Amino acid sequence: MRLTRAEDATEDFDSVHEQEILTQSLAPSALRGHIEPGTLVKSNDINETKIPNKDASLPPPLSSLLNLHDFEIVAEKHLPPNAWAYYASGAEGEISKRQNSKAFQKVSLRPRILRSIPAVVTTTTILGKQVSLPVYMSAVGIAKLAHPDGERALAAAAGKEGLAQVLANGANNVIESVMDARTSPEQPIFQQLYVNRDITKSEDVVRRAERAGASAIWITVDSPVVGKREMDERFNLQVEKRARRCQNNGQLYFPIYRLGYSFVVAGPHQTTYSHQGDSMC
């Protein structure tokens, strides 16, 4: 089978990965050749398809968002469908997700009256690290789905507000890059760890985090198996539908990622590639 024209999927790749991922995860044989970037057409990725009847205007000013619920409404309206599915969904019927929300609503602050409170101090420590609030940025992977700077943007924001950040095991940015985005050397960043069946891989994560200067290892133990996330599955059905359409047209459906003037293709080795002719589906 021959691809008669390649699509430039660099923007799609960069939206969720750093280029270092390619050199770490692909063998040198994955480099298939060299091309001029200007000869590639832009990818019509499914993520660019807007949800019908959604407001296409820019997000409102940050100052107008007064609580977490406001942020959630804006995120659902403006994030790509796959990003919203990833960030917002829970497993199966999302019963545990709803129960978690109800559990937080049961927590109340006991008001004190007739007390002298000249100043309110919210600072505390987490694992011995000074923070401005008794909360932290939880480990959520693939931050580039929401912002081009990914976890680096979260690190900069956490540093500005004096918060701790937990770097997700599935982060887009490597830990060294995130540490460089801190506002001060004292800013705490913890490394999340899902213990891998291959313990040597987990050991590598711990050693790398230690070398980078992470404040602690944050072990996650509540996911022995991958959850059945139905919102993700519904989005994947759209991708599969497009792939079937490509196959019916006698074409393959997988992206080409550009590295400077080179391109890497993950596909059957017997396939030949060209950047001339009709575009991919």
Side-chain angles (χ1 to χ4, degrees), residues 192-210:
Q192 183 193 33
L193 176 67
Y194 284 102
V195 179
N196 197 292
R197 291 182 182 275
D198 182 353
I199 196 64
T200 59
K201 293 183 178 180
S202 295
E203 291 172 348
D204 290 342
V205 172
V206 172
R207 292 192 182 98
R208 184 171 184 174
E210 184 179 17

Side-chain angles (χ1 to χ4, degrees), residues 45-261:
D45 190 85
I46 192 169
N47 293 342
E48 298 173 5
T49 303
K50 302 298 182 181
I51 299 177
N53 301 322
K54 288 290 182 180
D55 184 3
S57 63
L58 294 175
L62 190 62
S63 59
S64 68
L65 307 182
L66 305 182
N67 55 45
L68 294 179
H69 184 62
D70 290 348
F71 279 92
E72 190 171 3
I73 293 174
V74 173
E76 182 178 9
K77 182 179 294 185
H78 293 279
L79 284 176
N82 67 320
W84 176 250
Y86 176 76
Y87 292 137
S89 65
E92 300 193 49
E94 300 188 338
I95 295 174
S96 295
K97 178 186 175 184
R98 291 193 296 272
Q99 289 178 337
N100 287 340
S101 297
K102 291 180 180 179
F104 274 105
Q105 294 173 9
K106 295 179 180 179
V107 178
S108 301
L109 297 178
R110 181 181 179 185
R112 296 286 186 173
I113 60 175
L114 299 179
R115 297 289 192 274
S116 176
I117 308 177
V120 176
V121 179
T122 61
T123 58
T124 186
T125 59
I126 298 178
L127 296 183
K129 300 298 180 179
Q130 190 80 15
V131 291
S132 61
L133 290 170
V135 296
Y136 62 89
M137 287 188 178
S138 189
V140 178
I142 320 183
K144 278 193 172 186
L145 285 176
H147 192 283
D149 291 339
E151 289 78 15
R152 287 177 55 86
L154 295 177
K160 180 181 178 182
E161 300 300 332
L163 299 175
Q165 175 188 2
V166 180
L167 183 63
N169 201 97
N172 292 131
N173 301 110
V174 295
I175 188 170
E176 294 84 0
S177 177
V178 177
M179 299 295 283
D180 288 342
R182 294 179 299 170
T183 59
S184 72
E186 295 76 26
Q187 179 182 333
I189 291 184
F190 308 122
Q191 173 67 64
Q192 183 193 33
L193 176 67
Y194 284 102
V195 179
N196 197 292
R197 291 182 182 275
D198 182 353
I199 196 64
T200 59
K201 293 183 178 180
S202 295
E203 291 172 348
D204 290 342
V205 172
V206 172
R207 292 192 182 98
R208 184 171 184 174
E210 184 179 17
R211 289 194 301 268
S215 301
I217 302 298
W218 212 268
I219 300 178
T220 300
V221 297
D222 64 348
S223 297
V225 296
V226 177
K228 186 178 183 295
R229 298 161 62 96
E230 295 180 0
M231 191 184 299
D232 280 340
E233 291 182 1
R234 290 189 179 94
F235 177 80
N236 290 335
L237 289 175
Q238 299 178 45
V239 178
E240 292 172 4
K241 181 178 179 180
R242 184 177 181 184
R244 286 194 298 270
R245 185 172 68 247
C246 290
Q247 293 171 356
N248 292 337
N249 293 335
Q251 297 172 301
L252 290 179
Y253 178 65
F254 50 81
I256 293 176
Y257 303 125
R258 192 178 72 241
L259 286 175
Y261 286 91

